[in-house]
Each structure stands twice: as structure tokens, then as C-alpha cells.
Amino acid sequence: MNRRATRRALTVASAVVVTSTLLAGCADELPQPVAGEAFDGPVLTEEQDTQVFTAVAETVAKADKALSGKELKPRVTGPAYEVRASQLSVAKKRDNAEFVTEIPSESQQMIIPTTEGWPRTSFSITTATEDQETPRLVAFEQDSARADYKMWAWTQLIPGQSMPYFADSAVGSTAVAGDDDSLAATPVDALAQYADIVTLGAKKSSFAKGFELPDGDLAAAVAADASAWKEVPGFEESGTKYSQKYKARKDEVRSVRTADGGALVMGVLDGKATVKAEEDAKVPALSETQKALLGDAEQTNVLTTEYTDMVALYVPAKGSDEKIRPLGFSHVATAASN
Amino acid sequence: MLQRILGGVLVLLGLAAAALGVASATVWRDTDTVVATATPTGDGTLVVTDPGVLGLVGGDVTVSATVPEGQKVTLAVGRDVDVAGWVGNDPYSRVTGLSDWENLSVAAGEPADAEAGTNEPPESGPDPAGSDMWVAEASDENSVTLRWSDRPGRWTLLAAGVGEGAQAPTLELTWPRNVTTPYLWPGIGVGVVLVGIGAVLLVLGGRRVRAQRADAADLRSDGGPSDGRHDDRSDDERYDDPSAGARSPFGPVAPGAGHDPSHQAGATPAPTAEEADEPGPTREGDDDGTARDAAGTAEVPLAGRLLRRSRGSRRQSVAETSTADVPPTGDVARGDDPAPVAAPFGAPVAGPVPAPAAPHEPVPAEPTTATGALRMTRRELRAQEEARRASEQGSGMTRMLRAMTGSIPAVRPQESAPAGEAAPARPDTSTPAGRAAAWRATWGFGDTRTGQGTDPNPTDTDGENR
């Protein structure tokens, strides 16, 4: 009968509904983990980099307040630590922190690396200081995976120098090895050449033609040091000799690619300036820093001042029309001896 | 009947379907969360998830890690390279996915630098907390919870038991799950449709049955082939109450037609004539009864009994009414109207019929008075008796059943009013003498004894008649 058939169909239909409802709960397949796209961007987000910067600035501020180099340890390393610790000890001896480099705690540009391994170096350009000094270019380094980012170096930008363009912080910039040969000069070589220029002066150095030297760079500052000595009354007459030697550290080079294929290179030049007067003469410390560094040591006819200079260069890509340009430097006497 | 059964089944199925639909969205509904735990294996204090594990079930995951009492635990999320770099060559447990819906599969992690091999487990569990690389981290004693919303990239979780004698933490990942209820509305929809169809079938079936009952009731109570209560009444008047004929302009004709002496005489027993008079109802009613009986339901015979009963009572009232009206008919008897002539022929026939019924039938309802006996077939009398018994046995029950079957409106108006009116005028028909008196009264034979004095308007009737 027709109705009976209908009823049977309905029974079957409802049975299907019931069964599928009951099975629905158990039938889901286990999902398998799907690894997303591999990371190829910056190792830090801008936010994280800002946190790094803030952490460093806090640590530095704390050390500055205590005038204690040890306080820097958690967040400052390398040449930055050397210089800063020295500055702080000088400031402590002098009870005056006027020569301690001010490092603004705000960043205006972040250059974040894409390095997968360690160490990783990020750079940051700070804002101008409160008393309108030029911004600082700061390098942060994460030495190992379990280490924090620490301030590795800072330089004060040379007034009037334009910074090269960098990849956006969301894209990330590639680190450049110290011996990268895609550049006009490898970072290590560029630093060595610059050291030569600083030592000899632009006129005497054979490398000067490869550089575009601004007025206020490290070479000029070092020359000014020499001039200062030479201007001391009786310097020439007494037969006092002034000599200086600057040398780039080969293993302390940090470079990052710029947008135009060049590189920003930061490195350290160890400088030594020696003033040697005739025997029995006594060479006084010329600067307050030298005085503090010398301390109570008795004056002799020799005064050696050591500098730890952090420098930043722009090295163009190979074949570029541009020349190597100093971007910034920090010229700080870190030791003195008689 | 089949329709009603099918309707009921459909309604039940519909309710069941709807209930299942609702149940699938409530009691059988999957939990809103997937909770999976990972128990670390092997050495080390670190647990690392593979990329993609955090977003395995849903984008948002709540991770909680537990270590034994008194220890510190840290959770951190970072890029896979960063986590791998942080772990370095320390031994660790690797969470590779779900082994089932409640457990994560865990394997021993391979060292980052395969040549160097895995370090000895450190004496003190290193703390990943505070690294610049993590995008999310949490650290606490004993247990810690971290929420993570998945984002593009290979993000991995690092969990570490921290400090002296640390153990790798037990991980619990909880994902909210978007649970769908695909059977809720289809179930309810199917249910509603089934209930609707079932209800329609029920109503139709019910109506058909009621219609059958109503037909039967009409036909039986009419006592004639024609429908309507007017006919019912006129039938009775025609046969039972010759006085009606006196009132009606057709009066002389109607009784004559109804009680054609030659016809009745020819068809010796009145019942035969009676059956000839109402062939439709009798047969139909019987057919219906048989059909219903074949269907095997108890209701219908009961209802039929009720209907018969009501019919019987109606007839009784009619009979009584006519009995009350008897005196005027005495005029008819005086005249040469054929009706009275017919009576003698009918009387002997009717006489024996009510007699056996009398013992069983007490006072009420003696339709057999006179004409009632003439018109009634044996079948009808049987039905009448049945109905009476039914009414005597359980009037409360039958009333209830009547209410349930919805037959009240069809029955009540005829049942109550005339019966009430007729009651006082009821003659004593329990004795043969009484019955005979009633019969005589009905047909005007009691005229000489009862006299015309009881007739309220003999002259009017006579005048109209003649």
C-alpha cells in the first residue's frame, strides 16, 4: 500500500538521521600539524626591538646614575662596554658626568636583521639629544640564543651626513660578513683603510681617494687632538714629539646591508697617541679625561693616551660611483699612561 | 482507521526526529574545547612543540604547563629557529601532534647540532623567561597558563621546568572549537513536517470516522431515506400521529399513503412494509457496522450503540408525544379516514413484537406503543435494547466516551429536550393492559373510554379536516 511505503521511507529516513547524528561525534579526523611558511623576515618585531632598546636604555641610565660600569653588564657589551665603563669611571673620579655620552632612549629608525643564527646584530638610529647633538647610531648584538640583546657600539652621527636607506624594519636587513666582497671594500678592509686615514690624515693616506671625508669625521677629530698638543706653548721648541697610531680591530666588525646594495659597517679603531718630551721634562695631561685616567700617577716625559673609537662607515656596493663615507664616530680616551 | 494509525506514527516519528535534532545540538553536542595533554618523555627539562601544533585545532590556544610542587615553570612562544637555537643541544621532548583527541604525541627531540650530540642534562633547568626573542611568555610557580593566537609563521612553544632538579613540565593545550550542530534544524524541520503530515492524517481520519458516525446517526435517527430532522418528525407524524395529518393540508393524503390498507394488508407483517419504506438506512447502517467491525476497533460499535440509544430515546419521546396527542386522533377514528382502518391490521402484528421486549424493558421508552411497533424491525428493536442497556450500565462512562468521540452536538439536542417534555405524559406500558390502552389511545380506539373531553381542540381539528 502507498501509505505503508511512505511510512517505511520515513522510518528509513529518520533512522539515517539518528545514526548519522550519533556518528557525527566520533567521525572527526585528527588534524595534523601544518608548519607555516618558514620565517624569512626580521628576527625581531619593531615592538621587540623597541623593548630591547628600552631595556638597554634603562640599564644604561641605571649605570649612569650609579656611575658604575658593572651595572652595564646585563645590557652593554663589546666596545660599547669598554667605552662606557671608562667614561663612567672617569666621571666617578671627576665626580662629573659631563663627558659621559648621552644616548637618547628613543629610536627613530630600526634596522633589524634577518639572521637566523647567532650572533645577531640590529641597529638603531636614535632621536637627537636634548641639547641638540646629532642622533646616535647604536648597534645591538645578541651573541647567542640564550643571550639578551646588548648595546655593542654607538657612534655620534656626523652632522650633515646623509644616512643610506635601509630595508623596512618589517622586511629586515641582511647582515653582511666582515669579508663580504660585494662591496667597494670588504667591511674589514674599509675599516683598516679608514684607520690609515685617521692615522695619517687625509692628505698623506693613500686610501683617502676612496673616501669621501666630511669635515667633522674622526680623522678631523684626531687631527684636532694633534693640533691641540702642538699648540701647547713650547711644544715645538722643546723638541717634544707627538705620534699617533690607529688600528682597526679585525674581529669587531658588524655590517648590515643597505637598500642600495652597500653596507653599513661599524667597527672599532684602537688609537694610541703618544706625547714624548725630552728627558726630565714632564708632560701634563691635556684634558680632564686624561687627568682622570692618569690619576695620581707621577708625571713623566711621556704621556700615552689610548682611544677606543667606534666608527660607522657607509661602504657602497662594488662598482658604485659612490665612495666610502664615514657616518659617525665616537672618540673617547679610555686609558692613559705615563 | 489506517489513516489515523499512520498519522499517529508519523507524529511520533516527527517528535522523535525533532528530539534527536535538539539532542544532537545539546546533550550529544561535541564539547566546545579540545583538551590535549603531553607528558614529556626522556631526559631534559624542556618541551618543544613542532611548528603548527599550537594551531592544530583552532587559532586560539590556551597552554598550561604544570611541574611538581615547589618548582618554577616557564612558557614561551617564539619562532621555530629561535626556540631551536635557545634549546641548542640540550635534551628536550618534542610534541609532534595529536595522538588522539585527548593526547599529544611526544618524541625525544634531536639535538640541533647532530655532530655535537645531545648535552648531558643540565643540573639546573635553564629559564627561557625574559628573552628578547619571545613574542609571548609566562612564568610562574607550579603551573602557568599562556594564551596564544596563531599567526602566520612557524611558531613553536617552549616549556621549561626551571631550577635545581627541575623536570620537564606536563603540557595541556586547550583549543576552543567551533562546534556545528548540522542536525538541529534539519531534525526539527523533518520533525515538524512529519508531525504536520501526521496531524493532517489524524484530523482527516478523525473527520472521516466522525462523518461515518454522523451519517449513521442521521440515517438511523431519521428512520427514513431522506435526511433532516424535519423528515424525521414528519415521518413520525405520518405514521405515528394521525393528528398531524389533520393539521396538515396534506394530512388526509399522507396517512393514507403511509398506511395504505391494501398495502399493509398485502405485506402481511408491518416490518416488511417498514423495511420497504426505509431500505437505505437499514442497509447502510448494517454495512457500516460490518465495515467498522471488520476494522476491528471497539470504538465504533460503542459509538453506534450510543447512537442507537439516542435514536431509541428519540423515538420513545416521539412515541410519547404522539401518545399524549392521542385524544385528538379520536376524531380521525370517527371519520372514514383509512388510517384507523389500517390499525387493526397492524395491531395483531405489533402485539407480539413488543411483548417479549417488555420484560427487559422497564418503564421508559415504550416506542412500541401502537405505531412504533408497526414501524420497527426486529433489528431495530434489538439495537434499541442494546442502547438502553448501554445507557443503564454506565451513563457516566458513555457520556465521557461521547464527549471524547465528539458526538455530543449531533446527539444532544434531540436527546434531551423531547425526553424531558415527554416524561410526565408517559403511559404505563409495563403491563399488557397498559400497552393495549396506549395502543388504543394512539389509534383512537380508546375514544369511547377516554372520551373526547381530553382533547383540547377537537372541533378545530375536525373543522380543519373537513
Side-chain angles (χ1 to χ4, degrees):
Chain A
M1 205 175 145
N2 209 12
R3 268 183 220 147
R4 212 165 279 163
T6 315
R7 196 167 61 186
R8 201 171 298 142
L10 287 170
T11 313
V12 169
S14 54
V16 167
V17 169
V18 172
T19 315
S20 51
T21 306
L22 290 173
L23 289 177
C26 348
D28 289 352
E29 278 185 25
L30 281 177
Q32 295 300 316
V34 178
E37 289 277 309
F39 291 103
D40 58 356
V43 294
L44 294 177
T45 63
E46 229 176 80
E47 196 181 336
Q48 285 175 307
D49 205 25
T50 305
Q51 285 171 359
V52 167
F53 201 118
T54 306
V56 169
E58 281 172 4
T59 305
V60 169
K62 200 173 159 192
D64 285 355
K65 199 176 176 186
L67 296 178
S68 164
K70 283 183 186 172
E71 299 274 343
L72 295 168
K73 278 273 183 190
R75 283 292 185 175
V76 184
T77 186
Y81 179 77
E82 291 174 38
V83 173
R84 196 77 183 180
S86 171
Q87 282 183 329
L88 290 175
S89 86
V90 167
K92 193 169 188 181
K93 280 176 191 166
R94 290 183 65 227
D95 200 18
N96 186 337
E98 64 178 321
F99 295 130
V100 176
T101 308
E102 184 189 351
I103 299 172
S105 58
E106 271 183 60
S107 170
Q108 62 168 300
Q109 187 181 356
M110 296 175 202
I111 301 145
I112 303 174
T114 57
T115 319
E116 300 240 313
W118 284 268
R120 294 169 175 176
T121 310
S122 76
F123 299 83
S124 203
I125 298 168
T126 71
T127 54
T129 63
E130 284 176 14
D131 45 0
Q132 297 305 310
E133 287 178 8
T134 54
R136 304 339 185 190
L137 171 65
V138 186
F140 300 97
E141 183 173 73
Q142 186 187 28
D143 186 45
S144 69
R146 293 192 188 181
D148 288 327
Y149 280 85
K150 297 177 181 179
M151 181 166 71
W152 180 79
W154 80 85
T155 63
Q156 188 175 331
L157 294 183
I158 298 164
Q161 277 297 81
S162 61
M163 289 294 291
Y165 292 104
F166 295 95
D168 191 84
S169 60
V171 175
S173 302
T174 316
V176 175
D179 57 355
D180 189 287
D181 58 359
S182 68
L183 302 168
T186 66
V188 171
D189 287 350
L191 284 170
Q193 290 170 13
Y194 188 55
D196 188 66
I197 292 170
V198 170
T199 305
L200 299 176
K203 288 176 186 170
K204 291 183 185 173
S205 172
S206 59
F207 299 109
K209 62 179 186 296
F211 282 74
E212 183 186 319
L213 298 167
D215 291 340
D217 78 331
L218 178 62
V222 167
D225 282 349
S227 302
W229 278 110
K230 286 167 187 169
E231 283 167 12
V232 171
F235 182 85
E236 299 262 345
E237 294 83 358
S238 63
T240 307
K241 288 181 180 170
Y242 178 82
S243 63
Q244 59 186 12
K245 177 69 181 172
Y246 282 83
K247 198 178 172 187
R249 293 184 192 168
K250 286 188 177 178
D251 53 350
E252 300 218 357
V253 180
R254 304 288 183 267
S255 310
V256 64
R257 189 74 65 182
T258 59
D260 60 5
L264 167 71
V265 176
M266 280 187 90
V268 183
L269 305 185
D270 286 321
K272 184 188 266 186
T274 308
V275 177
K276 191 173 186 182
E278 56 185 0
E279 301 246 346
D280 303 332
K282 289 182 179 175
V283 180
L286 193 61
S287 69
E288 291 294 323
T289 303
Q290 285 166 340
K291 278 180 197 168
L293 289 170
L294 280 171
D296 299 332
E298 209 174 309
Q299 291 185 353
T300 65
N301 65 332
V302 179
L303 177 62
T304 304
T305 310
E306 290 178 33
Y307 295 90
T308 302
D309 292 353
M310 298 174 281
V311 297
L313 301 175
Y314 165 66
V315 181
K318 193 179 269 183
S320 169
D321 293 338
E322 289 191 79
K323 293 179 178 179
I324 299 171
R325 281 188 288 131
L327 296 173
F329 67 93
S330 159
H331 180 55
V332 177
T334 53
S337 61
N338 293 117
Chain B
M1 223 45 235
L2 191 62
Q3 232 173 3
R4 300 182 73 190
I5 292 169
L6 180 58
V9 168
L10 284 181
V11 166
L12 287 180
L13 276 179
L15 290 176
L20 288 173
V22 170
S24 78
T26 52
V27 288
W28 293 332
R29 182 190 159 105
D30 286 339
T31 51
D32 287 337
T33 54
V34 173
V35 182
T37 43
T39 310
T41 59
D43 295 332
T45 59
L46 306 173
V47 180
V48 176
T49 64
D50 275 3
V53 168
L54 285 178
L56 201 51
V57 177
D60 295 314
V61 64
T62 303
V63 183
S64 64
T66 316
V67 288
E69 195 75 22
Q71 293 185 8
K72 190 189 171 194
V73 58
T74 295
L75 286 174
V77 177
R79 296 152 24 107
D80 57 343
V81 242
D82 294 352
V83 171
W86 196 95
V87 171
N89 287 339
D90 281 357
Y92 68 98
S93 298
R94 181 173 152 229
V95 178
T96 56
L98 285 171
S99 59
D100 56 53
W101 279 109
E102 284 166 3
N103 289 292
L104 294 158
S105 47
V106 182
E110 310 91 31
D113 184 355
E115 287 178 13
T118 305
N119 294 348
E120 284 298 304
E123 286 180 12
S124 175
D127 191 355
S131 171
D132 296 324
M133 300 186 295
W134 310 144
V135 290
E137 66 167 84
S139 198
D140 207 344
E141 298 290 324
N142 300 334
S143 72
V144 68
T145 301
L146 178 71
R147 291 185 181 199
W148 171 252
S149 296
D150 206 20
R151 52 192 87 173
R154 296 182 178 175
W155 299 101
T156 57
L157 173 80
L158 171 63
V162 178
E164 291 291 327
Q167 299 177 13
T170 301
L171 283 184
E172 187 183 88
L173 272 63
T174 305
W175 292 274
R177 178 164 50 174
N178 187 19
V179 181
T180 55
T181 54
Y183 298 104
L184 174 59
W185 293 111
I188 290 176
V190 168
V192 165
V193 168
L194 289 181
V195 168
I197 294 172
V200 166
L201 286 180
L202 276 180
V203 167
L204 284 181
R207 189 172 292 166
R208 185 171 297 177
V209 167
R210 214 172 299 141
Q212 285 171 351
R213 272 187 220 147
D215 284 349
D218 280 348
L219 292 168
R220 290 187 181 197
S221 60
D222 287 350
S226 48
D227 286 332
R229 273 147 214 164
H230 172 73
D231 285 342
D232 187 10
R233 175 73 185 145
S234 66
D235 262 357
D236 288 340
E237 281 175 24
R238 230 181 292 148
Y239 301 124
D240 301 344
D241 190 1
S243 72
R247 285 189 205 106
S248 160
F250 303 101
V253 183
H259 298 270
D260 181 8
S262 61
H263 171 74
Q264 280 194 350
T268 312
T272 324
E274 190 67 33
E275 282 199 308
D277 268 352
E278 26 179 275
T282 320
R283 251 170 247 141
E284 247 182 51
D286 286 352
D287 287 347
D288 281 353
T290 9
R292 274 184 245 114
D293 287 343
T297 58
E299 288 174 11
V300 177
L302 185 59
R305 231 177 288 148
L306 293 172
L307 289 166
R308 278 173 212 140
R309 178 193 171 237
S310 67
R311 173 182 164 245
S313 62
R314 210 177 311 138
R315 179 161 299 165
Q316 162 197 340
S317 68
V318 167
E320 280 157 5
T321 313
S322 50
T323 318
D325 289 345
V326 163
T329 61
D331 298 329
V332 178
R334 271 182 307 184
D336 49 358
D337 198 276
V341 182
F345 289 94
V349 181
V353 178
H360 307 284
E361 297 170 13
V363 185
E366 191 45 80
T368 51
T369 37
T371 57
L374 285 173
R375 331 178 32 242
M376 274 189 155
T377 62
R378 282 192 183 85
R379 193 183 297 129
E380 283 172 319
L381 286 167
R382 211 163 45 233
Q384 195 177 3
E385 189 186 332
E386 272 173 25
R388 196 165 297 120
R389 270 187 205 143
S391 71
E392 281 166 9
Q393 278 168 7
S395 60
M397 186 64 177
T398 50
R399 210 173 295 137
M400 216 164 71
L401 284 169
R402 213 182 298 142
M404 281 168 64
T405 52
S407 60
I408 290 174
V411 176
R412 187 181 279 163
Q414 296 153 342
E415 184 187 36
S416 56
E421 283 171 23
R426 191 172 296 159
D428 183 12
T429 51
S430 54
T431 62
R435 282 198 293 279
W439 185 86
R440 275 194 297 274
T442 303
W443 290 103
F445 286 100
D447 175 38
T448 44
R449 255 166 287 173
T450 53
Q452 290 178 338
T454 49
D455 188 4
N457 50 0
T459 40
D460 286 354
T461 315
D462 285 356
E464 276 183 85
N465 268 341
R466 300 189 176 129

